[in-house]
Amino acid sequence: MALSCSLNRYLLLMAQEHLEFRLPEIKSLLSLFGGQFISSQETYGKSPFWILSIPSEDIARNLMKRTVCAKSIFELWGHGKSPEELYNSLKNYPVEKMVPFLHSDSTYKIKIHTFNKTLTQEEKVKRIDALAFLPFEGKVNLKKPQHIFSVLEDYGLDPNCIPENPHNIYFGRWIADGQRELIESYSVKKRHFIGNTSMDAGLSFIMANHGKVKENDIVFDPFVGTGGLLIASAHFGAYVYGTDIDYNTVHGLGKASRKNQKWRGPDENIRANLRQYGLEKYYLDVLVSDASKPSWRKGTYFDAIITDPPYGIRESTRRTGSQKEIPKGMEKCPESHVPVSLSYHLSDMFFDLLNFAAETLVLGGRLVYWLPVYTPEYTEEMVPWHPCLKLISNCEQKLSSHTSRRLITMEKVKKFENRDQYSHLLSDHFLPYQGHNSFREKYFSGVTKRIAKEEKSSQE
Amino acid sequence: MKLLTHNLLSSHVRGVGPRGFPLRLQATEVRINPVEFNPDFVARMIPKVEWAALLEAADTLHLVEVPKGPIEGYEHDEKFLRQMHHVLLEVDVLEGTLQCPESGRLFPINRGIPNMLLSDEETKT
């Protein structure tokens, strides 16, 4: 096995949630901090144990200050498929790399973690004793050690089939934990201002990470709703803009989304949400605006566009329209005195979004958005494309038996010229998404069929 | 609405194109909102600013100590950056209007939030 001289190997312990979203998150963050994703494994599949090479411990620490997909990172000293293999591997680890953390002035402790199995205290102690061959010279301190070493034993993923012996055993020096606690502290349950479709906190941080948001960036959400996605970006030090076509949501007025609450209170608006987390200084502005008819002057000023466009299910897809387009019974937004049309086709919306991103993102800036999909008909060709934007990742989250949404991340790689607006209208590549215009009907088709079936059987 | 935002907004009324910038600002209620000074962010914004539009808006609001343009070595000039920080981020127009310089169309600002909605007829090309 070749020794990689300048790169150190690290073990990432991943959380077993949002499986498809993890690799793009880690890759995006590594590239944000000047690293590159290098690993000896081809794919990670469902495993929570990832071995990668990272140029420096600094980059590893920066990664952990951002990730919500990884629980912890360890400097990997050895691993194997059996205790013997592990001990051999440890004996091959360069002693000069171990010594700084084992010298007599330092304190340490060794932790045993087992995955998918429980060990008795006795069994754990045996394993620690077996490591006595390592040149530990420091003192054991169980309360506040300077260095923590961990043995991680992988007993697979099936709780109904726990092997006698682990598949893999790893030994490493603990470096840092990830940011999973943000998921609880930013939970939508505790947030002052929410809407019907406010994004789950974990996913909103994943989106900011896929978007490579960094300090002093300007991040924009053209379908801002209650501002949940802006919160994650602001937490990472970006200044935020949002627009929404719905006057009431932007102003924080109207009916509340919480059960048992009729109207929104005075502290329920996007600015108040940021204030709740001490992030008000990152609030730039929000505007009432139609994303298909943006009011920004020509130029590139957004470092990232991170958004969850309406799918037409729980929030309507709208754009401003002419008087005759208003369906019967549709209320006009009283404050804006502008009629809104319900007939904004989904494919048009993504066309507008990609074009807008291509025009206003800085070069290298990212667009991160959700694409609703009718699973039985989905093919990769349906993902909207644009000559200025490169597809970085496409991660699925199931919504129901026949629908899902995909988190699409794109990066601007080419300067926007006007003619780009027309070139992909002619492309066959783009047309397949037309089918998604009827996403709303397809989403409900399962319900309609079931109701029809029930009615039929009750008549029999 | 902050003056940084005003500096980035343009009218999208049909046929107006680049002549829709800058929007003419009129304010009936303005508030000074202290915002934590971040020199790095302010320095990043300087190259994006359209100065004539900024000076016009600052003048409308009777602001003083507004730099007339970027100065040499502004990235490290704390006095300059603090003045720009104040103008761009701490002056908040709560009530007022933004007017398209070409068509005269008014966009209202209420509770600090501009309403840029137009009907289909006004924006069709």
Side-chain angles (χ1 to χ4, degrees), chain A residues 154-170:
Chain A
D154 175 13
Y155 289 87
L157 297 166
D158 187 351
N160 298 318
C161 179
I162 304 175
E164 178 67 34
N165 295 311
H167 298 310
N168 289 292
I169 317 177
Y170 308 90

Side-chain angles (χ1 to χ4, degrees), chain A residues 305-316:
Chain A
I305 294 172
I306 300 182
T307 191
D308 183 19
Y311 317 149
I313 306 300
R314 285 182 290 168
E315 308 282 16
S316 54

Side-chain angles (χ1 to χ4, degrees), chain A residues 115-213:
Chain A
F115 296 86
N116 199 30
K117 188 167 196 156
T118 327
L119 295 180
T120 62
Q121 191 57 24
E122 206 190 304
E123 287 173 309
K124 288 190 183 182
V125 171
K126 255 204 227 159
R127 281 154 168 78
I128 295 178
D129 288 343
L131 293 168
F133 68 92
L134 288 172
F136 286 101
E137 281 175 37
K139 278 208 191 57
V140 173
N141 182 327
L142 296 178
K143 286 223 168 87
K144 266 192 171 176
Q146 280 171 294
H147 305 294
I148 299 176
F149 299 94
S150 295
V151 176
L152 300 106
E153 295 188 356
D154 175 13
Y155 289 87
L157 297 166
D158 187 351
N160 298 318
C161 179
I162 304 175
E164 178 67 34
N165 295 311
H167 298 310
N168 289 292
I169 317 177
Y170 308 90
F171 180 91
R173 175 175 65 94
W174 176 82
I175 305 237
D177 286 339
Q179 301 302 307
R180 289 189 63 72
E181 61 194 15
L182 292 178
I183 298 171
E184 182 54 39
S185 44
Y186 279 87
S187 161
V188 174
K189 288 184 272 205
K190 304 182 200 158
R191 197 167 304 158
H192 292 159
F193 180 43
I194 59 166
N196 293 339
T197 53
S198 286
M199 184 69 53
D200 152 83
L203 283 172
S204 65
F205 285 105
I206 286 174
M207 288 174 81
N209 284 335
H210 280 208
K212 288 176 73 171
V213 169

Side-chain angles (χ1 to χ4, degrees), chain A residues 216 281 285 288 295 297, chain B residues 2 5 7-8 10 44 116:
Chain A
N216 303 326
K281 68 177 178 183
D285 269 306
V288 182
S295 310
R297 67 163 150 90
Chain B
K2 299 181 171 94
T5 311
N7 204 260
L8 298 176
S10 178
R44 267 198 100 213
M116 309 305 291

